[in-house]
Amino acid sequence: MATTIPVIITNTNILVYDRSNDEFKAFTLPGIYTQPNIPFYHSYAKKIAESQHYVKEFIKSIHSGRLSKNVLAIVVPDDTSALEQIFINEFFLHSGACKAVAQITMGQTLSKDIEAYISISKSSRNVVMQYVRNNEIHACRYYDTNEYDIEQIKEDAKRLHIDIEYEKTPIFINNFNLNMDDFFEMGEIITPKQFMDKIADIDVEKIYTMNNKQYKKITFANNNGEVIFYEEKQE
């Protein structure tokens, strides 16, 4: 039976969930130098084999079972680009630490019970506002993290999607990085502990077969999730 391992890509490191201790453990790679506005994991590409080896050994030290049974449920910052999503998936998939990976943004994890909501977060590059409905991102807007107008964001939140104009939509402020003080009055604050508790409940479930590949989805405590991005290592 496959073992789902929740993984969070933060602004500075990788957090891997340790079920035996009910906590996330941080992985950092020594000798990696970061650049402004560029996620730290870009530097892994310079030493790809070495980086993958250390990630594999780190996960192995936490999860002692067969690595070939692991499925990594990877939660990424809301401004992760399509190319970055591909790199992250390929990096873990070919590290030897798992048999498959699934990926979802932080904003899509903020509520298990509310069908539609707005999420606001801040990465090292952008402030990101998403309209999430039934676990899917229906609209998204980005603002430079060093140059944004809070009043403009408040106004944009009223018109982010046509649905919002006709129904009251809750706003969740993801304060996982403890950098959202400017937005506290806009909505409900999700603390770091609340956020990690939500991620710890992630599971990955098989849903259908397409082109002879098994696709999976991320689910939250028996609630239905949506396919975000999936790859499985071919034997």
Side-chain angles (χ1 to χ4, degrees), residues 181-195:
D181 292 19
D182 290 347
F183 301 89
F184 279 6
E185 66 180 43
M186 284 189 65
E188 180 179 339
I189 311 303
I190 305 297
T191 68
K193 184 181 185 306
Q194 289 173 326
F195 179 77

Side-chain angles (χ1 to χ4, degrees), residues 73-93:
I74 305 173
V75 181
V76 299
D78 294 332
D79 64 347
T80 303
S81 71
L83 285 176
E84 288 168 343
Q85 289 176 353
I86 292 170
F87 174 79
I88 290 169
N89 277 15
E90 292 294 315
F91 176 84
F92 283 101
L93 191 63

Side-chain angles (χ1 to χ4, degrees), residues 16-56:
V16 179
Y17 186 59
D18 181 355
R19 293 190 187 279
S20 63
N21 295 313
D22 190 26
E23 65 179 6
F24 281 90
K25 294 185 176 178
F27 171 82
T28 55
L29 193 62
I32 292 296
Y33 299 96
T34 60
Q35 297 174 273
N37 299 319
I38 298 177
F40 69 92
Y41 55 80
H42 283 222
S43 298
Y44 289 6
K46 297 177 182 178
K47 299 180 179 180
I48 190 74
E50 180 182 349
S51 301
Q52 288 174 319
H53 168 75
Y54 283 117
V55 165
K56 174 184 175 180

Side-chain angles (χ1 to χ4, degrees), residues 90-104:
E90 292 294 315
F91 176 84
F92 283 101
L93 191 63
H94 297 289
S95 69
C98 61
K99 74 168 185 176
V101 294
Q103 192 176 133
I104 196 169

Side-chain angles (χ1 to χ4, degrees), residues 19 22 24 60 73 81 97 100 106 112 120 129 141 169 196:
R19 293 190 187 279
D22 190 26
F24 281 90
K60 186 177 179 180
S81 71
M106 291 182 174
K112 294 184 291 186
I120 301 178
M129 183 163 56
R141 190 164 293 188
T169 305
M196 287 189 286

